[in-house]
Amino acid sequence: MEHHKVRGNGVDIHVAIQGPSDGPIVLLLHGFPELWYSWRHQIPGLAARGYRAVAPDLRGYGDSDAPTEISSYTCFNIVGDMIAVISALTSSEDEKVFVVGHDWGALIAWYLCLFRPDKIRALVNLSVPFSFRPTDPSVKPVDRLRAFYGDDYYVCRFQEVGDIEAEIAEVGTERVMKKILTYRTPAPLNIPKDISFWGSKDETIPLPSWLTEEDVAYFVTKFEEKGFSGPVNYYRNFNRNNELLGPWVGSKIQVPTKFVIGDLDLVYYMHGVKEYINGPKFKEDVPLLEEPVVMEGVAHFINQEKPQEILQIILDFISKF
């Protein structure tokens, strides 16, 4: 595996790359609070099949640049970064890439396909459906979430600058990473201000078979180096993104798409998401969508929890194009 920095869109983006230099590119976009490393199982599997797996640390994460301004983390900034990565790694302007996204990476992948379908051959998205599509620009999504779930809902807790960062510093990065990565409650995620969510510091958090202490240590090292402000700044742009997406209200995703979610994923239990995925609206918004897959007994970090199953779904789908 090679590691490179790609300069473009005003920032340096770190990418992990494995596979033949002339192989079709598969761009793997991680979520919160993850890194390129969350694709550690899929990268070699894709490379072994002749694909060039490219997994960036998104802006604000890991070894990529982390601008200090909240306004530097809109959907336009992040998609611009990914266009810079695609341009740097493709051999011509006409070359298209496959995209796989999870969590925030899935949301960015939807926007990437919305803004630049000319760059995308096909899309595999995990956990976050296109129900977070552009809507009335006057609507403030964070206010809606607050009305549904209250002030303790994690997206709402992330809004006050410095607040969740201070809480994470108090609790400790290792405990925070373990608690989030092992979260399996099929319900909206609330983080009360009394820090009770994180549990007692002397209480151990058992790891599942798919997550090792070494894996956690890698995440902890990178988040302690970079901090959490960049990653939570994505959430602080929810309202701004909806304003910026005004020109695309009513637009459809015109890219062949596969979607997968676990039936224990907290996103599956957000208001209206289950109905959206299993009803007609998803296919209306994404006309080239294959039948969504709901994996039983699987939680949010699906690409880490079921690495080989997700790899096979990716390979089976992209091999059609």
Side-chain angles (χ1 to χ4, degrees):
M1 193 179 302
E2 300 174 0
H3 293 267
H4 299 280
K5 290 282 185 75
V6 173
R7 182 70 184 176
N9 199 35
V11 292
D12 284 337
I13 297 295
H14 163 253
V15 292
I17 303 175
Q18 188 172 349
S21 58
D22 59 348
I25 290 174
V26 182
L27 184 65
L28 301 152
L29 306 182
H30 69 79
F32 174 90
E34 299 177 277
L35 301 161
W36 74 267
Y37 186 78
S38 62
W39 302 106
R40 61 195 176 278
H41 300 296
Q42 289 84 19
I43 291 170
L46 287 162
R49 293 289 289 270
Y51 294 97
R52 192 181 190 199
V54 177
D57 284 330
L58 297 182
R59 169 187 296 233
Y61 285 85
D63 293 322
S64 292
D65 284 352
T68 56
E69 304 85 0
I70 294 172
S71 60
S72 294
Y73 293 86
T74 70
C75 57
F76 285 177
N77 297 111
I78 316 304
V79 171
D81 295 345
M82 294 306 101
I83 291 296
V85 169
I86 292 169
S87 296
L89 297 177
T90 49
S91 56
S92 73
E93 282 296 312
D94 298 330
E95 185 179 344
K96 296 185 176 186
V97 305
F98 296 107
V99 178
V100 182
H102 172 251
D103 186 75
W104 260 104
L107 195 52
I108 296 304
W110 290 123
Y111 296 149
L112 179 56
C113 292
L114 193 63
F115 303 158
R116 296 298 303 272
D118 58 305
K119 294 290 186 184
I120 314 302
R121 288 172 77 168
L123 169 69
V124 179
N125 255 352
L126 313 175
S127 293
V128 175
F130 195 51
S131 51
F132 299 89
R133 63 198 179 280
T135 57
D136 177 353
S138 67
V139 170
K140 297 195 180 303
V142 175
D143 293 352
R144 261 192 187 170
L145 292 169
R146 198 182 302 276
F148 277 121
Y149 305 119
D151 293 338
D152 287 343
Y153 187 58
Y154 78 104
V155 174
C156 303
R157 283 294 320 279
F158 288 179
Q159 297 304 309
E160 186 180 333
V161 178
D163 179 49
I164 197 69
E165 292 97 324
E167 184 168 315
I168 290 169
E170 180 182 349
V171 172
T173 305
E174 181 179 342
R175 183 161 206 86
V176 167
M177 294 304 302
K178 286 183 175 180
K179 188 71 175 178
I180 294 177
L181 290 172
T182 61
Y183 185 82
R184 303 185 66 78
T185 306
L189 173 59
N190 291 320
I191 305 178
K193 282 201 169 189
D194 62 7
I195 74 171
S196 59
F197 172 80
W198 309 107
S200 168
K201 284 191 176 182
D202 54 12
E203 167 196 336
T204 60
I205 299 174
L207 298 182
S209 59
W210 52 267
L211 186 68
T212 68
E213 291 288 350
E214 290 75 20
D215 295 333
V216 173
Y218 183 83
F219 285 117
V220 169
T221 297
K222 293 302 179 183
F223 277 98
E224 287 190 339
E225 285 175 4
K226 193 71 78 179
F228 280 84
S229 288
V232 295
N233 281 342
Y234 285 62
Y235 295 90
R236 292 168 181 154
N237 277 284
F238 260 145
N239 288 343
R240 179 64 178 143
N241 283 344
N242 203 50
E243 295 174 11
L244 295 172
L245 290 166
W248 288 273
V249 171
S251 294
K252 300 181 186 303
I253 299 292
Q254 300 290 0
V255 169
T257 302
K258 188 74 181 177
F259 179 78
V260 190
I261 193 170
D263 70 350
L264 298 179
D265 194 321
L266 72 163
V267 177
Y268 200 46
Y269 296 87
M270 292 179 70
H271 179 76
V273 168
K274 192 181 294 187
E275 295 75 14
Y276 179 84
I277 290 170
N278 297 303
K281 183 61 177 163
F282 198 1
K283 179 75 172 175
E284 291 172 16
D285 291 339
V286 189
L288 302 177
L289 174 73
E290 283 199 356
E291 187 69 23
V293 174
V294 180
M295 296 180 72
E296 291 185 12
V298 183
H300 182 64
F301 295 96
I302 190 168
N303 49 320
Q304 297 188 69
E305 183 176 346
K306 294 292 181 183
Q308 295 309 312
E309 291 88 339
I310 293 301
L311 173 62
Q312 197 58 53
I313 288 171
I314 294 168
L315 288 168
D316 289 347
F317 185 64
I318 67 177
S319 66
K320 301 174 182 179
F321 304 96

